[in-house]
Amino acid sequence: MNAVQKRKLIQERLQGANLWQWGGKITRVTGLTLEARGLKAAIGEVCWIYNNGTKPLLAEVVGFREEVTLLMPLGELEGIGPGCRVTATGQGHLVTVGQELLGRVLDGLGQPLDGSRLAGPEFRPVNNRPLNPLARVPIKDVLATGIKAIDGLLTCGYGQRVGIFAGSGVGKSTLLGMIARHSTADINVIALIGERGREVREFIEGDLGPAGLARSVVVAATSDQPALVRIKGALTATAIAEYFRDRGQNVLLMMDSLTRFALALREVGLAIGEPPTTRGYTPSVFATLPKLVERAGNTERGSISGLYTVLVEGDDFNEPVADAARGLLDGHIVLSRQQAARNHFPAIDVLQSISRLMPVITTRQHQQTASHLRDLLAAYQEAADIIEIGAYRAGSNPRVDEALKYYETINSFLRQGADEYYDFDETLVQMTAIFA
């Protein structure tokens, strides 16, 4: 291209360039909602709010009311007042992606928490569409977690989405750390949404450890962050997982927790005037949850396997978010407080848990052994009351007799220390040996 052609190209671009910057002014702040007039921006667009000399505040357009644009902050509101200037960036929230993310801990907006900068050459929008159903590759291969109770009785596959349903204090974070360290996935993307700040470092250094962090990307949006930042944390982690999947890798996306993501959605919905429905949750909560979890899955190049924890309130496994999640996911693992109280870890209630894809990805022999083991656990549980008071007589019920014979061996198989690891083949050998 010669000088004349270059000059002509520059002139054409200048003539077609939009040199206007649409802006407005803040007119009201109510709770977490900012109202601006004169702003021309679309839903989901990121804006800058300027005040007297301080660092500009990022905000996102979340709704409209007549001629007023409603925004939610992506930071602290300190210093924002009537008349502050607002300008639209013309784009939604983007996150930096690249191999340099491995071993890093990011905030809810995708920036390193250690204060450093990311020099990644590529950006991804955090609000992506779920996969086309016809573009999804069927799940056929086993994703080994290193946990005997899961691999043996609740076998999962690459691209499967599973919920971990638990109350507080029953070993949920420890279980996630064990899976992150020992699963056969190539990369972990871990989203800590709404966690206490103290627990973030404890999880990284204690449960995850140096080996787990080296092949992980951690996104932490703690409970003190604005609701929109907690929502962005879940979307950012999913976008990062999509980047690695598109590069042909098998990604394990672990989100703790889906419930706190739903609570943040409820905060935003109520703040912009949505009507509350079941237990105060707004309709947008139940519309957004499937859009998030449907972004996981298999493609021709790679996979995203999802592990979403659901923090059940008061151990009520039928509360709205838990009920919605069960219908959206491909299986659920229930952690029992009774199991934890008996020092049985991981505290997985096998009889209340299910993997919907286990019959597709396991052999017939594996399924028969797992079914027999579950049958014996069910028989023992049915007769547990009379067994514990010594009223059961041997020979009364052949199923219960067999359950009593193998109960301690089965329990020993289902127990596992936080530092123990078993590969998939070893788990199958141990499970088969119970009845040898």
CSV table of all heavy atoms in Angstrom, one decimal, residues 197-241:
chain,number,residue,atom,x,y,z
A,197,GLY,N,-14.2,-13.4,53.3
A,197,GLY,CA,-12.8,-13.2,52.9
A,197,GLY,C,-11.8,-14.1,53.5
A,197,GLY,O,-10.8,-14.4,52.9
A,198,ARG,N,-12.0,-14.4,54.7
A,198,ARG,CA,-11.1,-15.3,55.5
A,198,ARG,C,-11.0,-16.7,54.8
A,198,ARG,O,-9.9,-17.3,54.8
A,198,ARG,CB,-11.6,-15.5,56.9
A,198,ARG,CG,-10.8,-16.6,57.7
A,198,ARG,CD,-11.5,-16.8,59.1
A,198,ARG,NE,-12.9,-17.2,59.0
A,198,ARG,CZ,-13.2,-18.5,58.8
A,198,ARG,NH1,-12.3,-19.4,58.6
A,198,ARG,NH2,-14.5,-18.8,58.7
A,199,GLU,N,-12.1,-17.1,54.2
A,199,GLU,CA,-12.1,-18.5,53.7
A,199,GLU,C,-11.4,-18.6,52.3
A,199,GLU,O,-11.0,-19.7,51.9
A,199,GLU,CB,-13.5,-19.0,53.5
A,199,GLU,CG,-14.3,-19.2,54.8
A,199,GLU,CD,-15.7,-19.7,54.6
A,199,GLU,OE1,-16.3,-19.3,53.6
A,199,GLU,OE2,-16.2,-20.4,55.5
A,200,VAL,N,-11.2,-17.5,51.6
A,200,VAL,CA,-10.6,-17.5,50.3
A,200,VAL,C,-9.1,-18.0,50.4
A,200,VAL,O,-8.7,-19.0,49.8
A,200,VAL,CB,-10.6,-16.1,49.6
A,200,VAL,CG1,-9.8,-16.2,48.3
A,200,VAL,CG2,-12.1,-15.7,49.3
A,201,ARG,N,-8.3,-17.4,51.3
A,201,ARG,CA,-6.9,-17.8,51.4
A,201,ARG,C,-6.8,-19.2,52.1
A,201,ARG,O,-6.0,-20.0,51.7
A,201,ARG,CB,-6.2,-16.8,52.3
A,201,ARG,CG,-4.7,-17.0,52.3
A,201,ARG,CD,-3.9,-15.9,52.8
A,201,ARG,NE,-2.5,-16.2,52.9
A,201,ARG,CZ,-1.6,-15.3,53.3
A,201,ARG,NH1,-1.9,-14.0,53.6
A,201,ARG,NH2,-0.3,-15.6,53.3
A,202,GLU,N,-7.7,-19.5,53.0
A,202,GLU,CA,-7.7,-20.8,53.6
A,202,GLU,C,-8.0,-21.9,52.6
A,202,GLU,O,-7.4,-22.9,52.6
A,202,GLU,CB,-8.8,-20.9,54.7
A,202,GLU,CG,-8.4,-20.1,56.0
A,202,GLU,CD,-9.5,-20.2,57.1
A,202,GLU,OE1,-10.5,-20.9,56.8
A,202,GLU,OE2,-9.3,-19.6,58.1
A,203,PHE,N,-8.9,-21.6,51.7
A,203,PHE,CA,-9.2,-22.6,50.6
A,203,PHE,C,-8.0,-22.8,49.7
A,203,PHE,O,-7.6,-23.9,49.3
A,203,PHE,CB,-10.4,-22.2,49.8
A,203,PHE,CG,-10.7,-23.1,48.7
A,203,PHE,CD1,-11.4,-24.3,48.8
A,203,PHE,CD2,-10.3,-22.7,47.4
A,203,PHE,CE1,-11.7,-25.1,47.8
A,203,PHE,CE2,-10.6,-23.6,46.3
A,203,PHE,CZ,-11.2,-24.8,46.5
A,204,ILE,N,-7.4,-21.6,49.3
A,204,ILE,CA,-6.3,-21.7,48.3
A,204,ILE,C,-5.1,-22.4,49.0
A,204,ILE,O,-4.5,-23.3,48.3
A,204,ILE,CB,-5.9,-20.3,47.9
A,204,ILE,CG1,-7.1,-19.7,47.0
A,204,ILE,CG2,-4.6,-20.3,47.1
A,204,ILE,CD1,-6.9,-18.2,46.8
A,205,GLU,N,-4.7,-22.1,50.2
A,205,GLU,CA,-3.5,-22.6,50.8
A,205,GLU,C,-3.8,-24.0,51.5
A,205,GLU,O,-2.9,-24.8,51.5
A,205,GLU,CB,-3.0,-21.6,51.8
A,205,GLU,CG,-2.5,-20.3,51.2
A,205,GLU,CD,-1.9,-19.4,52.2
A,205,GLU,OE1,-1.9,-19.7,53.5
A,205,GLU,OE2,-1.4,-18.3,51.8
A,206,GLY,N,-5.0,-24.2,52.0
A,206,GLY,CA,-5.2,-25.4,52.7
A,206,GLY,C,-5.9,-26.5,51.9
A,206,GLY,O,-5.3,-27.6,51.7
A,207,ASP,N,-7.1,-26.2,51.3
A,207,ASP,CA,-7.8,-27.2,50.5
A,207,ASP,C,-7.2,-27.4,49.1
A,207,ASP,O,-7.1,-28.6,48.7
A,207,ASP,CB,-9.3,-26.8,50.4
A,207,ASP,CG,-9.9,-26.7,51.8
A,207,ASP,OD1,-9.7,-27.6,52.6
A,207,ASP,OD2,-10.7,-25.8,52.0
A,208,LEU,N,-6.8,-26.3,48.5
A,208,LEU,CA,-6.3,-26.4,47.1
A,208,LEU,C,-4.9,-26.8,47.1
A,208,LEU,O,-4.5,-27.8,46.4
A,208,LEU,CB,-6.6,-25.1,46.4
A,208,LEU,CG,-6.4,-25.1,44.8
A,208,LEU,CD1,-7.3,-26.2,44.2
A,208,LEU,CD2,-6.7,-23.7,44.3
A,209,GLY,N,-4.1,-26.1,47.9
A,209,GLY,CA,-2.6,-26.4,47.9
A,209,GLY,C,-1.9,-25.9,46.7
A,209,GLY,O,-2.5,-25.6,45.7
A,210,PRO,N,-0.5,-25.9,46.8
A,210,PRO,CA,0.3,-25.4,45.6
A,210,PRO,C,0.1,-26.2,44.4
A,210,PRO,O,0.0,-25.7,43.3
A,210,PRO,CB,1.7,-25.6,46.2
A,210,PRO,CG,1.6,-25.6,47.7
A,210,PRO,CD,0.3,-26.2,48.0
A,211,ALA,N,0.0,-27.6,44.5
A,211,ALA,CA,-0.2,-28.4,43.3
A,211,ALA,C,-1.5,-28.1,42.6
A,211,ALA,O,-1.6,-28.1,41.4
A,211,ALA,CB,-0.1,-29.9,43.7
A,212,GLY,N,-2.6,-27.9,43.4
A,212,GLY,CA,-3.9,-27.7,42.8
A,212,GLY,C,-3.9,-26.3,42.2
A,212,GLY,O,-4.5,-26.1,41.1
A,213,LEU,N,-3.3,-25.3,42.9
A,213,LEU,CA,-3.3,-23.9,42.3
A,213,LEU,C,-2.6,-23.8,41.0
A,213,LEU,O,-3.0,-23.0,40.1
A,213,LEU,CB,-2.8,-22.9,43.4
A,213,LEU,CG,-2.7,-21.5,43.0
A,213,LEU,CD1,-4.2,-21.0,42.8
A,213,LEU,CD2,-2.1,-20.6,44.1
A,214,ALA,N,-1.5,-24.6,40.9
A,214,ALA,CA,-0.7,-24.5,39.7
A,214,ALA,C,-1.5,-24.8,38.4
A,214,ALA,O,-1.1,-24.3,37.3
A,214,ALA,CB,0.5,-25.5,39.8
A,215,ARG,N,-2.5,-25.6,38.5
A,215,ARG,CA,-3.3,-25.9,37.3
A,215,ARG,C,-4.7,-25.3,37.4
A,215,ARG,O,-5.7,-25.9,36.8
A,215,ARG,CB,-3.4,-27.4,37.0
A,215,ARG,CG,-4.1,-28.2,38.1
A,215,ARG,CD,-3.9,-29.7,37.8
A,215,ARG,NE,-4.8,-30.5,38.6
A,215,ARG,CZ,-5.8,-31.3,38.1
A,215,ARG,NH1,-6.0,-31.2,36.8
A,215,ARG,NH2,-6.6,-32.0,38.8
A,216,SER,N,-4.9,-24.3,38.2
A,216,SER,CA,-6.2,-23.7,38.4
A,216,SER,C,-6.2,-22.2,38.2
A,216,SER,O,-5.1,-21.5,38.2
A,216,SER,CB,-6.6,-23.9,39.9
A,216,SER,OG,-6.7,-25.3,40.1
A,217,VAL,N,-7.4,-21.7,37.9
A,217,VAL,CA,-7.6,-20.2,37.9
A,217,VAL,C,-8.7,-20.0,38.9
A,217,VAL,O,-9.8,-20.6,38.9
A,217,VAL,CB,-8.1,-19.7,36.5
A,217,VAL,CG1,-8.3,-18.2,36.6
A,217,VAL,CG2,-7.1,-20.1,35.4
A,218,VAL,N,-8.4,-19.1,39.9
A,218,VAL,CA,-9.4,-18.9,41.0
A,218,VAL,C,-10.0,-17.5,40.8
A,218,VAL,O,-9.3,-16.5,40.7
A,218,VAL,CB,-8.7,-19.0,42.4
A,218,VAL,CG1,-9.8,-18.7,43.5
A,218,VAL,CG2,-8.1,-20.4,42.6
A,219,VAL,N,-11.3,-17.4,40.8
A,219,VAL,CA,-12.0,-16.1,40.7
A,219,VAL,C,-12.8,-16.0,42.1
A,219,VAL,O,-13.7,-16.8,42.4
A,219,VAL,CB,-13.0,-16.1,39.6
A,219,VAL,CG1,-13.8,-14.8,39.5
A,219,VAL,CG2,-12.3,-16.3,38.2
A,220,ALA,N,-12.4,-14.9,42.8
A,220,ALA,CA,-13.0,-14.7,44.2
A,220,ALA,C,-13.8,-13.4,44.2
A,220,ALA,O,-13.2,-12.4,44.1
A,220,ALA,CB,-11.9,-14.8,45.2
A,221,ALA,N,-15.1,-13.5,44.4
A,221,ALA,CA,-15.9,-12.3,44.6
A,221,ALA,C,-16.6,-12.5,46.0
A,221,ALA,O,-17.5,-13.2,46.2
A,221,ALA,CB,-17.0,-12.2,43.6
A,222,THR,N,-15.9,-11.9,47.0
A,222,THR,CA,-16.3,-12.1,48.4
A,222,THR,C,-17.7,-11.4,48.8
A,222,THR,O,-18.2,-10.6,48.0
A,222,THR,CB,-15.2,-11.6,49.4
A,222,THR,OG1,-14.9,-10.3,49.0
A,222,THR,CG2,-14.0,-12.5,49.2
A,223,SER,N,-18.2,-11.8,49.9
A,223,SER,CA,-19.5,-11.3,50.3
A,223,SER,C,-19.6,-9.8,50.5
A,223,SER,O,-20.7,-9.3,50.5
A,223,SER,CB,-19.9,-12.1,51.6
A,223,SER,OG,-19.0,-11.8,52.7
A,224,ASP,N,-18.5,-9.1,50.7
A,224,ASP,CA,-18.5,-7.7,50.9
A,224,ASP,C,-18.6,-6.9,49.6
A,224,ASP,O,-18.8,-5.7,49.6
A,224,ASP,CB,-17.3,-7.2,51.8
A,224,ASP,CG,-16.0,-7.6,51.0
A,224,ASP,OD1,-15.8,-8.7,50.7
A,224,ASP,OD2,-15.2,-6.6,50.8
A,225,GLN,N,-18.4,-7.6,48.5
A,225,GLN,CA,-18.4,-7.0,47.2
A,225,GLN,C,-19.9,-6.6,46.8
A,225,GLN,O,-20.8,-7.3,47.2
A,225,GLN,CB,-17.8,-7.9,46.2
A,225,GLN,CG,-16.3,-8.1,46.4
A,225,GLN,CD,-15.5,-6.9,46.2
A,225,GLN,OE1,-15.6,-6.2,45.2
A,225,GLN,NE2,-14.7,-6.6,47.2
A,226,PRO,N,-20.1,-5.6,46.0
A,226,PRO,CA,-21.4,-5.3,45.5
A,226,PRO,C,-22.1,-6.5,44.8
A,226,PRO,O,-21.4,-7.4,44.3
A,226,PRO,CB,-21.2,-4.2,44.5
A,226,PRO,CG,-19.9,-3.5,44.9
A,226,PRO,CD,-19.1,-4.7,45.5
A,227,ALA,N,-23.4,-6.6,44.8
A,227,ALA,CA,-24.1,-7.7,44.2
A,227,ALA,C,-23.7,-8.0,42.8
A,227,ALA,O,-23.6,-9.1,42.3
A,227,ALA,CB,-25.6,-7.5,44.4
A,228,LEU,N,-23.6,-6.9,42.0
A,228,LEU,CA,-23.2,-7.0,40.6
A,228,LEU,C,-21.9,-7.6,40.4
A,228,LEU,O,-21.6,-8.4,39.5
A,228,LEU,CB,-23.3,-5.7,39.9
A,228,LEU,CG,-23.5,-5.7,38.4
A,228,LEU,CD1,-24.7,-6.6,37.9
A,228,LEU,CD2,-23.5,-4.3,37.8
A,229,VAL,N,-20.9,-7.4,41.3
A,229,VAL,CA,-19.6,-7.9,41.2
A,229,VAL,C,-19.6,-9.4,41.5
A,229,VAL,O,-18.9,-10.2,40.8
A,229,VAL,CB,-18.6,-7.2,42.2
A,229,VAL,CG1,-17.2,-7.9,42.2
A,229,VAL,CG2,-18.4,-5.8,41.8
A,230,ARG,N,-20.5,-9.8,42.4
A,230,ARG,CA,-20.6,-11.3,42.7
A,230,ARG,C,-21.2,-12.0,41.5
A,230,ARG,O,-20.9,-13.1,41.2
A,230,ARG,CB,-21.5,-11.5,44.0
A,230,ARG,CG,-20.7,-11.2,45.3
A,230,ARG,CD,-21.7,-11.3,46.5
A,230,ARG,NE,-22.3,-10.0,46.8
A,230,ARG,CZ,-23.5,-9.8,47.3
A,230,ARG,NH1,-24.3,-10.8,47.5
A,230,ARG,NH2,-23.9,-8.6,47.6
A,231,ILE,N,-22.2,-11.4,40.9
A,231,ILE,CA,-22.8,-12.0,39.7
A,231,ILE,C,-21.7,-12.1,38.6
A,231,ILE,O,-21.5,-13.1,37.9
A,231,ILE,CB,-23.9,-11.1,39.2
A,231,ILE,CG1,-25.1,-11.2,40.2
A,231,ILE,CG2,-24.4,-11.6,37.8
A,231,ILE,CD1,-26.2,-10.2,39.9
A,232,LYS,N,-20.9,-11.0,38.4
A,232,LYS,CA,-19.9,-11.0,37.4
A,232,LYS,C,-18.8,-12.0,37.7
A,232,LYS,O,-18.2,-12.6,36.8
A,232,LYS,CB,-19.2,-9.6,37.3
A,232,LYS,CG,-20.1,-8.5,36.8
A,232,LYS,CD,-20.4,-8.8,35.3
A,232,LYS,CE,-21.2,-7.6,34.7
A,232,LYS,NZ,-21.6,-8.0,33.3
A,233,GLY,N,-18.6,-12.3,39.0
A,233,GLY,CA,-17.6,-13.4,39.3
A,233,GLY,C,-17.9,-14.7,38.7
A,233,GLY,O,-17.1,-15.4,38.1
A,234,ALA,N,-19.2,-15.1,38.8
A,234,ALA,CA,-19.7,-16.4,38.2
A,234,ALA,C,-19.6,-16.3,36.7
A,234,ALA,O,-19.1,-17.3,36.1
A,234,ALA,CB,-21.1,-16.7,38.7
A,235,LEU,N,-20.0,-15.2,36.1
A,235,LEU,CA,-19.9,-15.1,34.6
A,235,LEU,C,-18.5,-15.0,34.1
A,235,LEU,O,-18.2,-15.6,33.1
A,235,LEU,CB,-20.7,-13.8,34.2
A,235,LEU,CG,-22.2,-13.8,34.6
A,235,LEU,CD1,-22.8,-12.4,34.2
A,235,LEU,CD2,-22.9,-14.9,33.9
A,236,THR,N,-17.6,-14.4,34.9
A,236,THR,CA,-16.2,-14.3,34.5
A,236,THR,C,-15.5,-15.6,34.5
A,236,THR,O,-14.8,-16.0,33.6
A,236,THR,CB,-15.4,-13.3,35.4
A,236,THR,OG1,-16.0,-12.0,35.2
A,236,THR,CG2,-14.0,-13.3,35.1
A,237,ALA,N,-15.8,-16.4,35.6
A,237,ALA,CA,-15.2,-17.8,35.7
A,237,ALA,C,-15.7,-18.6,34.5
A,237,ALA,O,-14.9,-19.4,33.9
A,237,ALA,CB,-15.6,-18.4,37.0
A,238,THR,N,-16.9,-18.5,34.2
A,238,THR,CA,-17.5,-19.3,33.1
A,238,THR,C,-16.8,-18.9,31.7
A,238,THR,O,-16.5,-19.8,30.9
A,238,THR,CB,-19.0,-19.2,33.0
A,238,THR,OG1,-19.6,-19.5,34.3
A,238,THR,CG2,-19.6,-20.1,32.0
A,239,ALA,N,-16.6,-17.6,31.5
A,239,ALA,CA,-16.0,-17.2,30.3
A,239,ALA,C,-14.6,-17.6,30.2
A,239,ALA,O,-14.1,-18.0,29.1
A,239,ALA,CB,-16.1,-15.6,30.2
A,240,ILE,N,-13.8,-17.7,31.3
A,240,ILE,CA,-12.5,-18.2,31.3
A,240,ILE,C,-12.5,-19.7,31.0
A,240,ILE,O,-11.6,-20.1,30.2
A,240,ILE,CB,-11.8,-17.9,32.7
A,240,ILE,CG1,-11.6,-16.4,32.8
A,240,ILE,CG2,-10.5,-18.6,32.8
A,240,ILE,CD1,-11.1,-16.0,34.2
A,241,ALA,N,-13.4,-20.4,31.6
A,241,ALA,CA,-13.5,-21.8,31.3
A,241,ALA,C,-13.8,-22.1,29.8
A,241,ALA,O,-13.3,-23.0,29.2
A,241,ALA,CB,-14.6,-22.5,32.1
